[in-house]
Amino acid sequence: MKRCELLAPAGNAESFIAAAEAGADAIYLGGTAFNARINAGNFTRRELKEAFDFARVRGIKTYVTMNTLIRDDEMNEALHAAYDMYAMGADALIIQDLGLGYLVRKHIPDMPIHLSTQGSVYSLDGVKAAEKLGYERVVLARELSLEEIRRICAGTKTEIEVFVHGALCICYSGQCQLSRYFGGRSGNRGQCAQPCRLAYDIEEGFEKNRPRGKHILSPKDMCLIDRIGELIDAGVMSLKIEGRMKSPEYVGTVTSIYRKYMDMYFENGWYTVEEADREALTQIFNRGGFTEGYMGGDPERRLMSEAVPKNTGVFMGTVTKAAKGSKIVSVKCDGRKHAVGPLEKGDRLEIRGDKNVSALVTYIKPGQKGILDIGDVKSPVRIGDGVYRITSAKQMEKAAEFHRGKTFSEGKYMRRRTLRASAEMTEEGRLKITFTDPENGKGVSACSAPLEEAAGFDAGAGRIEKALRKTGGTAFETGNITFKGTFDRAVPISEVNRLRRELLEDMKIALEDTGRRPQGIPSVAMATKPEKSEAALEVFFYSVEDYNRYRSELERTGVKTRCLLPLVEMMEEGMEGKSSEDGFEIVPYITGISRGPEDDYIEEHFDEAVRTAEESGIYIGNLQWVKKFADAGVRVFADSGLNVHNGFTAEALKELGALECSPSAEAFGREEGNYPLMISEHDFGTGKARDRKGEILRFRKSPLGGKTLITPDTRVSVAEGARRAREEKRTIRIYI
């Protein structure tokens, strides 16, 4: 059976140690810049080096997240940071920005690079495009089904990684502009403020799919504990746990449970998840329960946690008595035997009714018929309110054992590397001790001074074995021990202990050595994205119908005007792209995420699609289609969904055949109009919603209805766009 890795998150040193101790095969972490969880604890340069060495000695791989979009003026710093990670011994970089990947491949060719889930890859052709760009592994979009994952794995030798547990984004990763639009904090730049977890009021629409709560963009957390075997059999190389913002206790708990069932499957070919482990996963963190996402097809409303966007905890009972002015309330327990344990002092609760009240249990007194009196509840609650345990003190205490009292340099570690040992009495009467790592064959040896002869055959061999097994607080344990020669010499145990200590330190140093002898890299010249100096207007339409409404206005802009229309609608309407010298063009586009009906239609009618775009060229917003259309002789424009944020990304996309590039939506402001803030697989229906500050979001369907596009609901003027183009003497894009 092919063995895949368990990949765990680490937002700080404690979480890293917890992940290692809990059984992770690999750990991903970020430095202080260029990572998409910039608000996690993250690691200083010194801590990174300590983490890399700690992991390497234990046979754990480390992947560094450099998964943000990078400006041209930042690229030198980013490349040198990547080289620093290489020199210190990181096993791979997880990258979103194709420009950074392009430079790493060029200047650090033996540094493995993984394409982040923010690369928005969801198909075999997308994986093949990433492979051509030099990526050894692709982290797939989280919206895929098991069958899609299986087909991708069967069609490529590129390593495939999938998320199996933790928070879900409602938007395809890498395509979200909501946080930046509302508050200037870009998720693609590591600063996501999670506006998707906030409350929204319905303005209009959503007749068929009206939300049951106000948190209409908030999905549940993913849990694929029951799908481990299927994913392994599908050919997935890495099962990834989300959670660099989570606590070390969370990391240790989740990692240990997934480790348990992965090992069971590797050993037996099957497993059954125990209810105690399900409850442990639920108690440590969940949002309205768990979802398997799209693993088994469209989960529809089961995907969402519209009522509670944060940790829901575990239901423990209902309030039966709450005297006015008293901090003690009576709770009727739910009657279940909780594997994590009953309510106890130190537990944190949330009592939910008209208002949610948080409480720390500082007092508890059992009563009759399953009634508990608990305190300290400082805010009023009502009879019938639900009592949820958000944090179990007992669970947290147990989970803390994964990291408590441990640092990268010392601690009573559970995770150790097993070494083979041999003891040989040489012909010269010296004791030779050897330790060997069976995984990579590295070995270290040392000899004692000549020893005096001793009466009796094999004298001291048992004592030697006992001494060699005393590995103490090191990262090692001694496995099989072999003896060679005749042990007819007096062997001081102090000498065996000295040799053991020296050899284990030598083995540690040998395993920490990456074999890399870095020489440094030159600075790279800024590859500024070429800006068109002529005044031009691009008008992006979500439908041919919208285009027809604006046709007369478009023909009198006074500047070169290019109308972007959905390819599939143009094909259905019998339209063809138009490129003319009179300054008015019609160019088809494929959306940033075309998975589903849009892709199916284009695939089935590809020759017709090529004819439609033959004269005008085509705008493509995802990796899936770039090379296919370029190979068919069509001029390809890399659209905003490919997140061209620097000139090096444009250079990378040229390798796939994209000759021109539009800027990432990161460059858009409110004056661009109704550009996509989110592309979601979830079918919200259509309508409008308002946030707490009065911002209106519009929910609309992508071509052929395959996706929900969430945009601002603003009016944008063609005439105003043309005026800006003339004044600024550049290409201006607006979304209608």
Side-chain angles (χ1 to χ4, degrees):
M1 181 185 297
K2 180 182 176 182
R3 195 170 183 92
C4 73
E5 72 180 17
L6 176 60
L7 176 57
N12 55 35
E14 286 185 331
S15 293
F16 191 100
I17 292 169
E21 292 285 81
D25 298 303
I27 301 171
Y28 64 104
L29 67 166
T32 54
F34 306 115
N35 87 80
R37 288 292 181 267
I38 205 65
N39 293 320
N42 293 314
F43 292 74
T44 64
R45 187 184 186 282
R46 178 183 61 80
E47 289 173 331
L48 284 168
K49 182 64 167 66
E50 291 176 340
F52 296 157
D53 290 346
F54 180 89
R56 194 175 301 106
V57 169
R58 290 159 176 80
I60 302 168
K61 291 185 176 181
T62 50
Y63 308 141
V64 177
T65 55
M66 297 190 70
N67 54 342
T68 60
L69 297 181
I70 300 169
R71 300 192 309 262
D72 279 297
D73 63 341
E74 299 171 320
M75 195 57 82
N76 261 310
E77 181 187 353
L79 180 60
H80 284 82
Y83 192 72
D84 204 24
M85 300 303 106
Y86 166 78
M88 287 192 291
D91 290 290
L93 301 177
I94 303 173
I95 290 173
Q96 174 187 11
D97 193 293
L98 299 180
L100 177 60
Y102 171 83
L103 289 176
V104 170
R105 185 185 56 168
K106 182 177 180 179
H107 293 284
I108 323 172
D110 55 343
M111 178 81 248
I113 53 177
H114 300 172
L115 185 57
S116 167
T117 189
Q118 290 167 284
S120 306
V121 174
Y122 61 84
S123 68
L124 180 57
D125 284 325
V127 171
K128 289 180 177 178
E131 182 180 11
K132 183 173 176 59
L133 294 176
Y135 293 89
E136 298 186 4
R137 179 183 293 185
V138 173
V139 189
L140 294 179
R142 281 173 266 201
E143 288 80 359
L144 301 189
S145 68
L146 177 64
E147 185 54 40
E148 288 172 299
I149 293 169
R150 187 179 288 119
R151 286 200 302 268
I152 290 171
C153 291
T156 181
K157 293 183 180 179
T158 302
E159 294 181 358
I160 297 300
E161 178 176 306
V162 300
F163 280 90
V164 294
H165 197 93
L168 286 174
C169 294
I170 194 61
C171 177
Y172 275 85
S173 292
Q175 303 300 313
C176 186
Q177 295 293 322
L178 195 65
S179 179
R180 187 186 64 82
Y181 183 86
F182 279 166
R185 296 171 60 183
S186 169
N188 284 325
R189 300 272 292 164
Q191 300 174 323
C192 182
Q194 295 191 323
C196 52
R197 303 296 182 185
L198 299 178
Y200 294 83
D201 291 314
I202 300 302
E203 286 285 293
E204 63 178 63
F206 302 101
E207 287 84 2
K208 294 182 179 180
N209 217 7
R210 194 170 185 86
R212 298 187 180 112
K214 288 196 172 187
H215 301 278
I216 63 176
L217 298 176
S218 181
K220 297 176 181 177
D221 279 12
M222 175 186 280
C223 178
L224 297 183
I225 191 67
D226 294 296
R227 298 280 192 162
I228 290 173
E230 292 170 292
L231 290 167
I232 292 171
D233 290 346
V236 173
M237 178 60 190
S238 180
L239 305 183
K240 185 173 193 173
I241 298 166
E242 183 276 338
R244 282 194 291 137
M245 298 287 286
K246 297 291 202 318
S247 69
E249 290 80 10
Y250 173 92
V251 172
T253 298
V254 176
T255 302
S256 65
I257 291 172
Y258 275 81
R259 174 81 278 154
K260 173 181 176 179
Y261 292 108
M262 286 179 73
D263 287 347
M264 280 187 182
Y265 192 76
F266 290 138
E267 183 176 351
N268 304 320
W270 65 275
Y271 64 90
T272 301
V273 179
E274 298 173 15
E275 287 306 311
D277 291 324
R278 290 191 195 279
E279 184 174 308
L281 291 173
T282 304
Q283 181 66 79
I284 203 68
F285 197 95
N286 78 93
R287 284 185 175 92
F290 288 121
T291 175
E292 289 191 343
Y294 293 86
M295 191 62 43
D298 187 354
E300 300 178 340
R301 301 192 72 148
R302 298 188 306 277
L303 180 73
M304 306 303 291
S305 179
E306 296 163 339
V308 182
K310 58 184 180 179
N311 186 11
T312 308
V314 173
F315 178 73
M316 301 300 290
T318 55
V319 174
T320 59
K321 182 180 179 182
K324 187 175 181 179
S326 173
K327 296 180 181 179
I328 307 298
V329 301
S330 298
V331 176
K332 171 68 174 177
C333 295
D334 65 350
R336 292 183 299 152
K337 184 178 181 181
H338 292 278
V340 173
L343 281 175
E344 296 178 343
K345 286 184 181 179
D347 289 352
R348 291 191 176 275
L349 308 179
E350 187 167 88
I351 302 174
R352 298 187 185 129
D354 292 339
K355 293 183 179 180
N356 294 341
V357 174
S358 297
L360 174 65
V361 179
T362 59
Y363 168 85
I364 189 163
K365 180 181 179 182
Q368 295 180 348
K369 298 181 180 180
I371 301 292
L372 289 177
D373 289 339
I374 62 171
D376 187 10
V377 181
K378 298 179 180 179
S379 299
V381 297
R382 295 182 177 183
I383 294 173
D385 286 354
V387 178
Y388 293 79
R389 180 168 58 192
I390 303 302
T391 303
S392 162
K394 179 180 179 181
Q395 183 185 48
M396 296 296 280
E397 176 68 17
K398 180 181 178 181
E401 294 174 4
F402 289 115
H403 66 88
R404 185 193 295 118
K406 302 171 188 178
T407 67
F408 288 132
S409 58
E410 60 183 3
K412 196 172 182 180
Y413 306 116
M414 296 181 283
R415 181 77 173 268
R416 297 190 178 196
R417 195 177 189 123
T418 302
L419 304 177
R420 291 197 300 259
S422 68
E424 178 183 2
M425 190 64 70
T426 68
E427 293 181 359
E428 297 82 13
R430 299 172 184 268
L431 176 64
K432 180 181 180 181
I433 303 295
T434 301
F435 282 103
T436 306
D437 177 19
E439 291 184 23
N440 58 28
K442 287 186 177 181
V444 290
S445 299
C447 290
S448 69
L451 303 170
E452 297 181 1
E453 293 185 7
F457 182 70
D458 276 355
R463 294 165 59 235
I464 293 171
E465 176 174 355
K466 186 176 180 180
L468 291 180
R469 295 197 181 279
K470 292 181 179 180
T471 54
T474 70
F476 307 106
E477 62 182 5
T478 306
N480 185 49
I481 302 175
T482 58
F483 290 87
K484 300 177 183 178
T486 303
F487 285 75
D488 55 358
R489 305 273 173 160
V491 182
I493 291 302
S494 60
E495 181 69 359
V496 181
N497 290 336
R498 181 186 69 81
L499 291 173
R500 182 200 68 234
R501 287 192 297 268
E502 290 180 2
L503 289 174
L504 292 180
E505 181 61 25
D506 289 345
M507 179 60 80
K508 177 176 178 290
I509 294 171
L511 291 171
E512 288 176 350
D513 184 11
T514 64
R516 297 170 180 170
R517 300 294 179 261
Q519 301 297 318
I521 57 172
S523 294
V524 293
M526 189 180 297
T528 306
K529 302 184 297 298
E531 291 283 353
K532 297 177 182 177
S533 58
E534 64 175 330
L537 177 65
E538 288 184 349
V539 187
F540 188 103
F541 291 98
Y542 289 103
S543 69
V544 171
E545 181 183 358
D546 288 341
Y547 161 73
N548 288 331
R549 285 205 305 269
Y550 280 82
R551 180 63 190 269
S552 59
E553 189 175 349
L554 292 164
E555 292 177 343
R556 55 177 188 270
T557 61
V559 296
K560 181 179 179 180
T561 301
R562 176 177 289 172
C563 301
L564 307 183
L565 305 181
L567 171 64
V568 292
E569 284 198 21
M570 288 182 64
M571 292 165 65
E572 289 180 329
E573 295 286 334
M575 299 175 64
E576 291 187 355
K578 173 186 176 184
S579 179
S580 62
E581 296 181 359
D582 63 3
F584 186 79
E585 299 180 345
I586 299 174
V587 184
Y589 69 80
I590 299 174
T591 54
I593 302 293
S594 51
R595 172 177 172 263
E598 187 177 358
D599 275 350
D600 294 343
Y601 188 93
I602 297 169
E603 192 74 56
E604 186 177 349
H605 304 89
F606 185 70
D607 290 342
E608 182 185 346
V610 169
R611 287 193 299 273
T612 301
E614 193 169 24
E615 178 185 335
S616 61
I618 187 168
Y619 279 74
I620 298 177
N622 61 64
L623 285 174
Q624 154 116 354
W625 290 108
V626 174
K627 192 172 186 303
K628 276 193 170 184
F629 275 89
D631 287 349
V634 178
R635 185 182 184 188
V636 172
F637 305 87
D639 206 2
S640 58
L642 284 164
N643 280 321
V644 180
H645 204 51
N646 56 70
F648 297 106
T649 298
E651 292 297 314
L653 289 169
K654 279 183 182 179
E655 297 181 0
L656 299 179
L659 300 181
E660 295 186 35
C661 296
S662 295
S664 165
E666 293 289 309
F668 294 169
R670 292 177 180 260
E671 61 272 16
E672 270 72 33
N674 301 314
Y675 63 93
L677 302 179
M678 282 187 167
I679 303 176
S680 179
E681 188 67 28
H682 184 61
D683 184 3
F684 287 93
T686 57
K688 296 179 182 180
R690 184 183 72 253
D691 81 344
R692 57 184 179 174
K693 295 182 179 180
E695 295 275 6
I696 304 295
L697 294 178
R698 181 176 177 183
F699 294 69
R700 59 176 95 209
K701 305 305 291 184
S702 67
L704 296 182
K707 304 285 172 287
T708 299
L709 303 179
I710 301 175
T711 73
D713 187 50
T714 60
R715 291 184 178 274
V716 61
S717 165
V718 171
E720 174 62 17
R723 183 196 63 76
R724 288 177 54 212
R726 286 193 297 270
E727 290 183 357
E728 299 176 28
K729 293 183 173 58
R730 66 184 182 93
T731 298
I732 296 292
R733 178 183 286 194
I734 60 174
Y735 287 73
I736 299 297

